Amino acid sequence: MDAKQQFAQKILPWYHTHARALPWRGTSDPYVVWISEIMAQQTRIHTVIPYFERWMQRFPTLESLANAGLQDVLSAWEGLGYYSRARNLWTAAVSVVHDLDGVLPHSRAELERIQGIGRYTAAAIASIAFGEREPVLDGNVKRVLARVFDIATPIGTPQGERELWSLAETLIPTGQPGDYNQAVMELGAMVCTPRSPDCPNCPLQTICLACELGIQAQRPVKNPRPKVPTYTVTAAIFERKGKVLIARRPNRGLLGGMWEFPGGKVEEGESLQQGLVREIMEELNAGIHVCDLFGEYRHAYTHFKVHLYAFFANLNSSEPVPLEASEIRWVSRAELKDYPMGKIDRSISNDLVSQNGLS
DNA sequence: TAATCGTGGTG
DNA sequence: TCACCAAGATT
């Protein structure tokens, strides 16, 4: 028997004795599988669990999600990141209820037509919820396959992806495809980890080429990431009658649909104050006077870093209008918590509520 | 196709 | 401190 045949035979029994008891396991409810898979995209399971539990309390069914408002959905997602996942989930729930009678399709091909469901998630739902024989390929599976079969093609490249998907298709067994898929991912998360894999306790040790060659640390091969730039950014805190001004970002792009304190990037050769004045004119068509610095905030996104300076500021005579924002609103400090925000603006918001600013 | 899209844990 | 990277999808 070759290594490919032994792969599933060795990993399935291991999974049945070592699987973690995750809150979405033990059911094949397609809605539950769907939510858990979307939440788990690019996110550690440990982080997902409390969000999943709260989500199921708040949106226990597909219908309840479809009937909810996007702002409530984004609030439930706040802190998980990649907010297009929440927007797509909500959009998809509405269309499944309206167009598909509230029933998720069973096949991978049909699932892939739903907003936010790509090949991985479609295969995960099809196999776990419906028992379809479809392999998954996520970061864990890529790492396990690259090591066991000594794949030197860089992952993340089109060739590498094709090669690994093809290999994955040759490995999935006829029976228990859902358990098998979860088994490979579980092994990647718990044993075949990126650094210091626990090879002595791996059920695949006897067939793993990387282990035999001692090159676990060199698999998978990955292309280096470019360095990320740092942007200087400003934000304005306007106060009026005990309320502060916040703006909602457009429903696409970075932090789409989330609320923020208005401001933006400072350009080369501009002072912080000049940059803020320009940004508020562009965003809100309003002239302002920049007052004291409220606080400094640093945050790292995937492709850049931000050093943000938040200032108290006063509006001149003109009334602000949402030019770039989709909506603006004056809210009391106590109400800020009801508006979904990214991490930096939530920090500003929290500091504002507890008056932890510099001034 | 390559770039974009968050946040938190980890070594 | 910082690079890496995690149950990827979209445009």
Side-chain angles (χ1 to χ4, degrees):
Chain A
M1 193 186 308
D2 67 6
K4 285 190 178 182
Q5 289 173 303
Q6 293 186 56
F7 192 88
Q9 292 190 9
K10 289 183 177 296
I11 207 171
L12 266 171
W14 173 85
Y15 179 69
H16 290 139
T17 54
H18 290 80
R20 288 170 292 179
L22 303 179
W24 49 86
R25 285 186 175 157
T27 177
S28 58
D29 181 339
Y31 175 70
V32 171
V33 175
W34 184 17
I35 299 302
S36 68
E37 290 300 337
I38 299 295
M39 281 192 174
Q41 288 171 5
Q42 299 291 288
T43 310
R44 293 172 191 279
I45 297 305
H46 178 259
T47 302
V48 169
I49 291 173
Y51 281 89
F52 175 85
E53 303 277 22
R54 286 195 296 270
W55 185 280
M56 284 302 159
Q57 293 294 318
R58 199 161 179 181
F59 311 113
T61 64
L62 177 56
E63 288 72 24
S64 67
L65 176 58
N67 290 332
L70 177 57
Q71 293 292 294
D72 285 338
V73 171
L74 287 172
S75 281
W77 205 271
E78 181 180 317
L80 261 186
Y82 285 150
Y83 297 94
S84 64
R85 294 183 294 170
R87 299 194 306 271
N88 289 338
L89 203 42
W90 177 73
T91 302
V94 171
S95 57
V96 169
V97 166
H98 285 197
D99 304 335
L100 302 176
D101 203 22
V103 180
L104 269 182
H106 289 209
S107 73
R108 191 199 92 194
E110 289 178 282
L111 286 163
E112 275 190 72
R113 299 164 68 181
I114 294 173
Q115 192 67 224
I117 298 182
R119 181 167 182 184
Y120 162 81
T121 305
I125 297 172
S127 63
I128 297 169
F130 302 120
E132 301 272 322
R133 186 170 173 269
E134 293 283 355
V136 297
L137 187 68
D138 74 330
N140 290 309
V141 181
K142 290 174 187 174
R143 186 170 56 256
V144 171
L145 297 189
R147 284 176 175 162
V148 172
F149 298 96
D150 187 20
I151 307 295
T153 313
I155 64 171
T157 64
Q159 307 95 305
E161 298 293 307
R162 277 198 303 273
E163 189 172 343
L164 287 168
W165 272 111
S166 298
L167 176 58
E169 286 175 346
T170 69
L171 296 172
I172 186 165
T174 308
Q176 309 180 66
D179 279 359
Y180 165 81
N181 280 332
Q182 294 182 82
V184 188
M185 292 190 282
E186 190 83 351
L187 187 78
M190 307 303 294
V191 176
C192 193
T193 50
R195 281 165 295 197
S196 340
D198 188 14
C199 299
N201 289 312
C202 179
L204 303 177
Q205 189 188 16
T206 57
I207 64 169
C208 181
L209 291 177
C211 186
E212 181 183 339
L213 299 169
I215 57 169
Q216 300 93 322
Q218 298 164 47
R219 295 290 181 273
V221 175
K222 307 195 78 170
N223 288 331
R225 294 187 178 186
K227 278 194 170 179
V228 298
T230 297
Y231 299 127
T232 300
V233 175
T234 55
I237 301 167
F238 300 109
E239 293 184 284
R240 175 195 285 178
K241 300 176 185 172
K243 297 188 173 186
V244 295
L245 184 69
I246 56 175
R248 191 168 74 84
R249 299 171 65 93
N251 273 335
R252 50 181 64 246
L254 185 72
L255 299 169
M258 307 292 275
W259 293 80
E260 67 178 4
F261 294 91
K265 275 187 214 171
V266 175
E267 293 174 357
E268 199 67 36
E270 258 181 349
S271 70
L272 297 175
Q273 287 80 359
Q274 287 170 335
L276 186 53
V277 167
R278 177 184 51 73
E279 284 288 345
I280 297 303
M281 182 56 71
E282 291 173 4
E283 274 190 51
L284 304 176
N285 193 35
I288 66 168
H289 174 68
V290 179
C291 303
D292 292 336
L293 181 68
F294 175 71
E296 285 184 48
Y297 301 84
R298 292 176 181 276
H299 186 65
Y301 295 90
T302 305
H303 293 280
F304 59 92
K305 297 176 183 177
V306 159
H307 186 176
L308 183 146
Y309 299 82
F311 290 91
F312 284 115
N314 294 323
L315 291 161
N316 295 341
S317 53
S318 55
E319 191 66 15
V321 292
L323 293 183
E324 295 174 354
S326 57
E327 185 182 354
I328 59 176
R329 198 172 290 192
W330 292 93
V331 303
S332 72
R333 299 187 184 205
E335 291 170 324
L336 285 168
K337 66 177 186 341
D338 300 326
Y339 293 83
M341 295 179 181
K343 199 197 168 196
I344 288 191
D345 289 281
R346 181 56 68 201
S347 293
I348 299 172
S349 183
N350 287 340
D351 291 347
L352 214 41
V353 169
S354 58
Q355 283 295 350
N356 277 340
L358 298 178
S359 57

